[in-house]
Amino acid sequence: MHITIPKKRSVRNTITSLMIVTVACIAILSPIVGIVGNVAADTAPPSGLPATVSIDPLPTVQVNGIVWAQVTVGDTVYATGRFTQARPAGVAVGGAGTVTRSNLLAFDITTGVLKTNFVHSVTGTGTVEGRSIAVSPDGTRLYVGGKFSAVDGMARSNIAAFDLPSNTLVNGFSSGTNNTVRAIAATNTRVYIGGSFTQAGGQTRQKLAAYEKSGTLVSAWNPSVTVTGGPSGASVSALVVAPTQGNLVIGGYFNRIGTSTYLSSGAVKLDTGALVPWASQSPSYRIRDQLNSAGVLGDGTSINSLSIDSNGAQVYLTSYAYVSSHGDGTFEGRAAIDPANGNIIWANDCRGDSYSAFPIGQVLYSTNHSHDCRPIGAFPEVVPRHSQRALAETTYATGFNTAGGSTSYYPDYSGFPRGTQLNWYPTLNTGTYSGSGQAAWSVTGNTNYISLGGEFTKTENVAQQGLVRYGIASKAPNKYGPIAYKTYGVIPMTSANSSGQATISFKTTADNDNTRLTYALYRNGGSTPIYTTTAYTTFWNTPSITFTDSGLIPGSYNRYRMVVTDPFGNSTTTYSLYDDNNPAIAYSAGNWVDSQARGNGDFGGGIHYSLDNGAKATFTFTGTNIALVTEKNADRGTISVSVDGGAATTVSVYAASFAAQQTVYSKTGMTNDLHTITVTKLSGSYIDIDGFLVK
């Protein structure tokens, strides 16, 4: 039974344009080597796992639109999409250094600087854009496909070629296709194109065509890709050459190649176009669109990209699944398949559409909007959903998928081999240019750098539009460290017992490109840690650590600070906080209510509050800095705060809307002695005490 479920908006018509990689960096393959568990690799990985690039965004040329596809040749990245300008890193739209670039540009991946010796314009009427790009294995011929009618003022219908040694437009290809070219793959002598066209070179061609490098259509090469009994027409969105087998691997939305069944993927021979027996011809193949109960092809799965490692042992695909009345998709995530027959080598069942993938060494980088990767032992459903925009995984299997995940309508891939998700989680904001609510669409790179292309405008909250680079540790500043604690009171205050001991429990944090973090705990402003430990954590798995402090004065409250440091010396510091229900805080001169388990986001789940003007809260502490943490809201008014009996300061706790854990008053630079802070209600409906932060 097929049920229409509004899981998410289908972006099939948008994502069928993604980067097709025909050259890749070395991928070292291995069989399953044992389940790695929750330990994930990073820029300084645990033994046995490959290192990733850092999450430090490196300055990169920007565009004023969207980058759909990229390819790397040596140290040069060629990028195409829908944009009219390029500008240096750090420059706002239209700012200094802005130059014209019509849907195609090149930049140096080692510096991020725009290339000035590769200047070409891709133009036409209506929506004009480059949608696909590839290079010949010898690096001498660049091919660009998309939706356009001219290049450099010369007639070119959706396909063009450039000679890279001279950076000049190649004569030929003047008679292109009658619709968008969404995928390109090349050998040194031919180029293969796929898309939504029905004509190429003036001849009938159903979604596939081949040209000689000179631009002449190969008349004898004519396999067709179609949809029989489907809700919409076929489209080829991904191609890659498997040179060892002599195969052209095809991905997209279709159920026929020639007159034979191929569901979403297949292959033909490079030289003749003859059909290659493929695993997707079987109804039991697990990465495919499927027929609904009426025998009609659904609109549920499309292969969005294909790439291959340099030794040709594995082809990597990205896919999406969509549940609708037309039929259910079967797979979201990344997978490795055999380029000889399409057999699945491993499949990372990670919920959320995947758009592009690129292997570098033993790491597969991908762009996506993954939101639930529990089946592969990684993060659960994240909020906000689709917040992960790029991922890194091993190119080899390390374990097996398990059951579980966000919703029951996803297929179960339990028992399928899967790789390990590595600890690389860059932050990119959602772009608006395509209207699809996505960020990064394509990925490319070399052994030292990767480049993400898309429609984002910020990375790690740094303005950077459409393109961004990331480097391996030796090429990066490595300045992004442990995630700062979002709330106070990570170290709850407890008094020393009669034996002079206090149990200190604190929650660990995470780092988006390092799992191994060191925790150093200091007491009462000391310069030597009383406790040091190392823990491996991820953003979704931050367990608590417990330590028993001793040699304390029975009944005393001691303040603590904790410094968390990554392998590169980046650190974040958090301090102990006295919660509102700590007995060291005295409440008087009013009717105070201890309101716990309110669920309003207060530290410890609750606050102390009073409605009485003149109600007081007094706290005696030892330290140099003090801060009051409370709520703000529209029904709050003012309070007065006095330290050590000094002049009172009037503080507003009003806000147009409710906000918890707000620091409304702080005082610093005091002597490291005993002090008293008094908080008094002056006006408004409530006075709230959430806690006192002591440094």
Side-chain angles (χ1 to χ4, degrees):
M1 179 171 132
H2 295 267
I3 303 172
T4 300
I5 302 175
K7 180 171 77 76
K8 57 179 169 290
R9 178 183 176 187
S10 174
V11 290
R12 174 165 59 86
N13 291 332
T14 302
I15 57 186
T16 51
S17 61
L18 303 171
M19 178 190 70
I20 311 304
V21 181
T22 57
V23 290
C25 296
I26 296 174
I28 303 173
L29 306 175
S30 69
I32 296 175
V33 295
I35 296 175
V36 177
N38 290 326
V39 177
D42 44 44
T43 52
S47 176
L49 287 174
T52 67
V53 294
S54 79
I55 64 164
D56 295 67
L58 302 177
T60 310
V61 62
Q62 304 178 81
V63 298
N64 65 339
I66 185 170
V67 171
W68 285 120
Q70 306 173 84
V71 69
T72 303
V73 182
D75 290 331
T76 300
V77 174
Y78 298 89
T80 190
R82 194 192 318 166
F83 50 84
T84 60
Q85 293 178 340
R87 64 189 190 276
V91 174
V93 176
T98 297
V99 297
T100 298
R101 287 293 187 276
S102 298
N103 307 310
L104 181 65
L105 60 77
F107 68 91
D108 190 323
I109 199 170
T110 64
T111 64
V113 175
L114 183 71
K115 293 276 189 176
T116 58
N117 62 346
F118 185 86
V119 182
H120 298 281
S121 61
V122 175
T123 57
T125 58
T127 299
V128 178
E129 56 191 357
R131 304 292 303 245
S132 51
I133 196 165
V135 67
S136 60
D138 61 11
T140 64
R141 188 60 56 93
L142 178 75
Y143 300 96
V144 177
K147 184 67 174 175
F148 51 85
S149 59
V151 176
D152 299 343
M154 304 295 291
R156 295 291 187 274
S157 295
N158 307 318
I159 176 70
F162 301 88
D163 178 76
L164 290 187
S166 63
N167 290 327
T168 57
L169 180 68
V170 173
N171 292 328
F173 296 97
S174 57
S175 178
T177 68
N178 66 339
N179 212 330
T180 306
V181 173
R182 301 182 181 276
I184 304 178
T187 66
N188 288 335
T189 58
R190 282 186 182 179
V191 59
Y192 301 87
I193 63 172
S196 51
F197 53 84
T198 57
Q199 289 185 344
Q203 298 183 24
T204 298
R205 289 293 187 274
Q206 290 293 338
K207 322 307 181 192
L208 278 178
Y211 287 85
E212 304 292 356
K213 66 180 294 186
S214 62
T216 301
L217 186 74
V218 183
S219 297
W221 197 91
N222 189 19
S224 62
V225 173
T226 56
V227 164
T228 301
S232 59
S235 180
V236 172
S237 55
L239 295 172
V240 73
V241 169
T244 302
Q245 296 80 13
N247 291 342
L248 177 71
V249 184
I250 305 164
Y253 171 72
F254 52 83
N255 65 351
R256 292 284 189 275
I257 302 179
T259 58
S260 298
T261 297
Y262 290 83
L263 294 173
S264 302
S265 67
V268 298
K269 285 300 180 182
L270 290 168
D271 53 355
T272 65
L275 303 184
V276 174
W278 206 251
S280 68
Q281 294 181 280
S282 168
S284 63
Y285 192 66
R286 295 301 302 275
I287 301 177
R288 57 173 177 78
D289 209 340
Q290 62 185 3
L291 305 180
N292 66 13
S293 58
V296 175
L297 184 71
D299 60 2
T301 291
S302 179
I303 306 303
N304 299 326
S305 76
L306 295 166
S307 55
I308 192 168
D309 53 60
S310 62
N311 64 8
Q314 291 188 145
V315 166
Y316 305 97
L317 64 81
T318 62
S319 179
Y320 79 89
Y322 188 71
V323 180
S324 76
S325 59
H326 295 302
D328 296 352
T330 60
F331 183 71
E332 289 185 336
R334 282 72 53 200
I337 61 174
D338 190 323
N341 51 34
N343 286 338
I344 299 171
I345 300 170
W346 55 258
N348 283 357
D349 181 18
C350 189
R351 284 77 191 270
D353 300 350
S354 292
Y355 310 125
S356 173
F358 188 78
I360 300 179
Q362 293 180 295
V363 180
L364 183 70
Y365 295 95
S366 63
T367 58
N368 44 71
H369 66 222
S370 296
H371 56 84
D372 186 348
C373 295
R374 279 176 287 182
I376 63 170
F379 57 83
E381 184 76 24
V382 293
V383 179
R385 203 177 195 204
H386 307 158
S387 61
Q388 299 306 318
R389 301 297 187 172
L391 295 174
E393 294 153 311
T394 58
T395 57
Y396 52 90
T398 58
F400 299 92
N401 285 274
T402 60
S406 55
T407 51
S408 61
Y409 53 78
Y410 283 99
D412 184 358
Y413 284 83
S414 297
F416 269 72
R418 54 88 174 161
T420 290
Q421 188 175 109
L422 308 177
N423 195 74
W424 181 73
Y425 301 109
T427 302
L428 300 100
N429 71 334
T430 300
T432 60
Y433 201 82
S434 72
S436 298
Q438 306 306 317
W441 291 100
S442 66
V443 56
T444 186
N446 59 22
T447 55
N448 292 325
Y449 300 92
I450 71 164
S451 171
L452 300 184
E455 55 188 298
F456 51 86
T457 59
K458 290 183 178 180
T459 61
E460 308 307 324
N461 208 33
V462 175
Q464 181 67 48
Q465 186 175 4
L467 289 163
V468 64
R469 299 175 300 134
Y470 302 95
I472 61 175
S474 62
K475 304 293 183 181
N478 303 302
K479 293 300 183 183
Y480 283 80
I483 300 170
Y485 288 93
K486 296 180 180 179
T487 61
Y488 295 120
V490 173
I491 313 172
M493 295 303 302
T494 55
S495 62
N497 61 21
S498 59
S499 300
Q501 295 181 328
T503 299
I504 310 301
S505 180
F506 57 88
K507 198 170 184 63
T508 54
T509 184
D511 186 313
N512 282 340
D513 60 3
N514 289 115
T515 54
R516 179 171 57 87
L517 301 177
T518 299
Y519 297 79
L521 189 66
Y522 299 80
R523 183 202 314 127
N524 294 333
S527 58
T528 301
I530 60 171
Y531 176 69
T532 302
T533 190
T534 297
Y536 288 86
T537 58
T538 57
F539 77 85
W540 72 91
N541 184 20
T542 54
S544 293
I545 294 174
T546 299
F547 164 70
T548 299
D549 195 7
S550 59
L552 308 174
I553 298 173
S556 66
Y557 284 91
N558 296 272
R559 72 185 192 277
Y560 299 89
R561 82 178 189 278
M562 184 173 60
V563 180
V564 188
T565 308
D566 73 4
F568 296 91
N570 302 298
S571 66
T572 185
T573 301
T574 189
Y575 297 86
S576 54
L577 180 141
Y578 289 77
D579 192 18
D580 61 283
N581 57 7
N582 193 294
I585 305 172
Y587 298 96
S588 62
N591 180 33
W592 285 89
V593 177
D594 181 2
S595 177
Q596 299 300 313
R598 299 170 67 241
N600 281 4
D602 302 298
F603 173 73
I607 58 169
H608 271 68
Y609 72 87
S610 177
L611 283 68
D612 302 329
N613 287 342
K616 295 181 183 295
T618 304
F619 172 52
T620 300
F621 63 96
T622 300
T624 60
N625 302 332
I626 185 70
L628 168 63
V629 183
T630 186
E631 294 178 353
K632 286 186 172 184
N633 207 349
D635 59 358
R636 272 55 161 186
T638 57
I639 57 175
S640 70
V641 183
S642 174
V643 176
D644 295 335
T649 300
T650 300
V651 177
S652 172
V653 287
Y654 169 86
S657 59
F658 176 82
Q661 293 195 19
Q662 300 296 297
T663 301
V664 298
Y665 173 86
S666 62
K667 184 177 179 63
T668 62
M670 298 180 290
T671 58
N672 191 22
D673 295 315
L674 194 67
H675 302 281
T676 299
I677 182 172
T678 302
V679 183
T680 306
K681 181 177 182 292
L682 299 180
S683 66
S685 297
Y686 295 91
I687 179 176
D688 304 298
I689 302 296
D690 193 12
F692 292 96
L693 180 69
V694 180
K695 299 181 182 180

